[in-house]
Amino acid sequence: MNRWNSFVAIGDSFTEGLDDLWDDGSPRGWADRLAERLAAGRPGFTYANLAVRGKLLDQIVADQVPVAEDMRPDLVSFCAGGNDIIGITSDPDDLAQRVDAATARLKATGADIIMFTGFDLRRMHMLLRRLRGRVATYNENLRAIADRYGCRVVDLWGMDVLADPRAWASDRLHLTPEAHERVALRALEVLGEPVPGDWRTPWPAAEAPDWRARQAEDLRWVREHVLPYARKRLRGGHTGDGYLPKRPKLTEF
């Protein structure tokens, strides 16, 4: 068993846990699932989740990193930049420089840090696939940062099960509950913790939808998710406007 008795998760909707809900309708996600496993056998284990949907890297660094620094946990998960990457003019090298500076601050607290690469978008809609090269560049930068500061890395790009469309919710930006569980299992594996299941388990065999069904689903996605998101971003708004962290303090889980 490792020495971790406190865990702080920082980031955006991926870490907040959108589209994976507790019975009361609040977000769960891989971070809650990971904290639940880490808490087992560790009396007094505490957990905070500062992640807020829609947040950009600079917002996460400004709002969440100082809070994590003050908490001085044993373990920090740091995943940011996804909302920046999908921006029209984002530069993965510039993003990486800012991630590097934030990682140095977190590492200075003495915490162990776990980081996450971006997803492989090869089987997504062409609007998302066009970002694949940008994500790959960002990933290589993240690996260099992790190596520099001795961070552990969860390789989401290498998780082939997450390239399956069934891993994604209807907005194609957030994971399903089953996919969040697989990420939690992978994180446990990276941390060297006991793993109760295999994240590599293939999805059940299923008949692929026909061409007409795929086109209809793509049109629905563009109409219900892409266009409203684009309009909001053009007006300067963000998904997380008005939202606060779900677990702002270290408390027993």
Side-chain angles (χ1 to χ4, degrees):
M1 297 287 285
N2 290 293
R3 64 177 180 85
W4 304 308
N5 290 308
S6 55
F7 168 38
V8 174
I10 62 179
D12 52 31
S13 58
F14 169 67
T15 302
E16 185 183 356
L18 262 60
D19 287 289
D20 178 21
L21 306 179
W22 291 101
D23 291 340
D24 63 2
S26 61
R28 186 185 187 188
W30 68 265
D32 283 13
R33 292 171 180 268
L34 175 60
E36 189 173 18
R37 265 63 178 263
L38 292 176
R42 290 184 172 93
F45 178 87
T46 56
Y47 166 54
N49 190 317
L50 308 178
V52 176
R53 65 197 73 181
K55 294 301 181 182
L56 301 173
L57 172 60
D58 288 344
Q59 293 173 311
I60 292 168
V61 172
D63 298 340
Q64 299 176 31
V65 169
V67 179
E69 287 177 305
D70 290 342
M71 289 178 175
R72 304 191 72 82
D74 300 326
L75 178 66
V76 174
S77 68
F78 181 29
C79 183
N83 290 315
D84 299 80
I85 286 288
I86 62 179
I88 296 174
T89 60
S90 72
D91 179 347
D93 295 317
D94 177 63
L95 284 174
Q97 290 182 359
R98 285 134 63 194
V99 169
D100 186 294
T103 304
R105 290 172 56 183
L106 292 169
K107 191 65 178 179
T109 67
D112 290 327
I113 302 172
I114 183 169
M115 303 175 73
F116 297 76
T117 69
F119 300 98
D120 186 353
L121 306 176
R122 70 182 185 274
R123 293 181 63 185
M124 302 295 277
H125 187 275
M126 62 181 179
L127 289 176
L128 294 173
R129 283 203 308 273
R130 69 180 181 83
L131 301 173
R132 192 170 183 239
R134 194 184 295 177
V135 174
T137 301
Y138 188 52
N139 285 351
E140 289 307 301
N141 283 322
L142 290 177
R143 292 181 191 282
I145 293 167
D147 184 64
R148 187 153 46 246
Y149 295 105
C151 306
R152 305 176 194 230
V153 178
V154 175
D155 181 15
L156 299 176
W157 181 284
M159 293 180 66
D160 286 343
V161 292
L162 300 183
D164 192 295
R166 288 172 290 180
W168 297 87
S170 61
D171 64 3
R172 304 185 187 180
L173 289 176
H174 300 111
L175 298 178
T176 61
E178 171 64 21
H180 273 287
E181 172 67 8
R182 290 172 186 256
V183 172
L185 293 174
R186 181 72 176 112
L188 284 169
E189 187 176 88
V190 167
L191 291 172
E193 293 287 311
V195 183
D198 188 353
W199 59 266
R200 302 168 186 81
T201 301
W203 295 90
E207 185 176 346
D210 61 26
W211 183 87
R212 288 181 181 276
R214 292 198 306 272
Q215 295 304 306
E217 178 58 22
D218 285 346
L219 289 173
R220 183 205 61 77
W221 172 66
V222 170
R223 182 178 63 253
E224 296 182 8
H225 297 286
V226 177
L227 293 178
Y229 175 83
R231 283 194 293 267
K232 190 166 189 175
R233 286 293 291 265
L234 288 172
R235 293 168 182 163
H238 297 282
T239 308
D241 292 345
Y243 286 89
L244 297 173
K246 64 180 184 180
R247 292 181 66 93
K249 298 180 180 179
L250 279 171
T251 54
E252 290 194 25
F253 192 69

